[in-house]
Every structure is written in C-alpha cells, then in structure tokens.
C-alpha cells in the first residue's frame, strides 16, 4: 500500500474507525479475525493477528489452538459458534446458514452479530489482499508461530 499513498491513508482511516467498534466482546473479535485469517491461509494476517491478539491479552495456548478449534477444549460454545461462522463466511461460496445467524443473534445480540459479520468480512478483504500480493509472515509472532 506504500506504493499508493491515498489508498494507504483511506485504509488507515478505516482501520482506526474499526478499532473503535465496541458491540462485540474483544476476545470474540480476535477469535473471528484469527479464524478468518487461518481459513483463508494468509500467513501475514495470521502472524500479525497473533501479535495483536496476544498484545490484547489472549493466551498463546488459545491462539495456537485456533486452527484446531473443533477438537480443542479451550473454547466455549459461543467461541466455537464464532469460529464456525468465520470459517463459513470465508468459504467460496459462503456456507453461512440461517441457523448459524439465528444462534449467534441469540447469543450475542443483533448489534454484536452485525459487528462480527463485518469484522470477518474485513478480515477476508485484508487476507485476500495480502495473499494475492504474496505477503508472508514478518516475525510478529516469532515466539509462537500459529500455523497458517
């Protein structure tokens, strides 16, 4: 993005606004973003997302288990719903069901569900942009590389 300063500025402003959203529990937001980055296979996003999530207090063990959330005992039922939703949104075509949306709406509330949906969509945009341009891990998570 450094080759296109106005694009970089626009994305930077958008990211600053995203950071202010507060309807969704931060832990769920981090899990959704990490789940989406992993589902898409973006090594840069997985690496940077690990660093951001760990900086915000998520344990390394939880972050390490995002790729294996189905079999890990580290996630609550709602966290599993969020990770399943993130994965379903990243599939092409998407695999989101009415039942998934209804369950998350019931568990989180409509405002948080809308925020969750947008966060996964934004991570899709980030991950697909970075993957298309061949960006890889930059060492943010050197002490605990989460497999992409």
């Amino acid at each position: 993005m450094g080759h296109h300063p106005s694009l970089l500025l626009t994305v930077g402003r958008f990211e600053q606004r995203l950071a202010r959203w507060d309807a969704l529990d931060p832990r769920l937001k981090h899990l959704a973003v990490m789940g989406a980055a992993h589902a898409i296979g973006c090594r840069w996003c997985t690496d940077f997302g690990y660093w951001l999530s760990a900086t915000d207090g998520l344990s390394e063990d939880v972050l390490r288990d995002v790729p294996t959330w189905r079999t890990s005992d580290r996630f609550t039922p709602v966290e599993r719903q969020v990770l399943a939703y993130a994965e379903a949104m990243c599939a092409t075509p998407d695999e989101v069901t009415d039942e998934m949306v209804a369950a998350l709406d019931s568990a989180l509330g409509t405002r948080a569900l809308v925020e969750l949906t947008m966060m996964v969509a934004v991570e899709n945009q980030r991950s697909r942009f970075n993957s298309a341009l061949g960006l890889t891990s930059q060492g943010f998570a050197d002490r605990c590389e989460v497999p992409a």
Side-chain angles (χ1 to χ4, degrees):
M1 287 187 207
H3 297 285
H4 194 316
S6 64
L7 186 144
L8 178 62
L9 183 61
T10 300
V11 170
R13 286 181 180 151
F14 180 64
E15 291 288 346
Q16 286 177 334
R17 295 285 179 122
L18 289 176
R20 295 182 192 151
W21 293 352
D22 63 359
L24 183 63
D25 176 271
R27 179 180 170 95
L28 296 177
K29 190 178 296 190
H30 284 298
L31 290 175
V33 167
M34 289 297 292
H38 182 267
I40 293 167
C42 179
R43 293 193 53 79
W44 195 95
C45 293
T46 301
D47 180 43
F48 189 67
Y50 165 84
W51 179 78
L52 284 176
S53 299
T55 300
D56 209 21
L58 266 71
S59 76
E60 290 181 16
D61 293 336
V62 167
L63 292 167
R64 247 189 242 113
D65 280 3
V66 167
T68 58
W69 64 267
R70 283 181 179 80
T71 57
S72 172
D73 61 358
R74 297 188 194 283
F75 301 101
T76 68
V78 171
E79 290 170 345
R80 289 178 191 286
Q81 287 177 307
V82 165
L83 287 161
Y85 187 66
E87 236 178 54
M89 279 186 65
C90 294
T92 304
D94 77 82
E95 298 171 354
V96 174
T97 65
D98 291 343
E99 293 78 20
M100 291 172 117
V101 173
L104 284 165
D105 190 28
S106 177
L108 305 175
T110 303
R111 190 165 176 256
L113 170 61
V114 170
E115 188 171 310
L116 168 65
T117 303
M118 184 55 79
M119 287 309 304
V120 174
V122 167
E123 186 55 36
N124 254 279
Q125 177 261 325
R126 292 173 183 144
S127 291
R128 294 193 188 279
F129 179 92
N130 292 337
S131 292
L133 293 178
L135 298 176
T136 60
S137 173
Q138 300 295 304
F140 291 101
D142 278 344
R143 59 194 173 115
C144 175
E145 182 71 24
V146 177

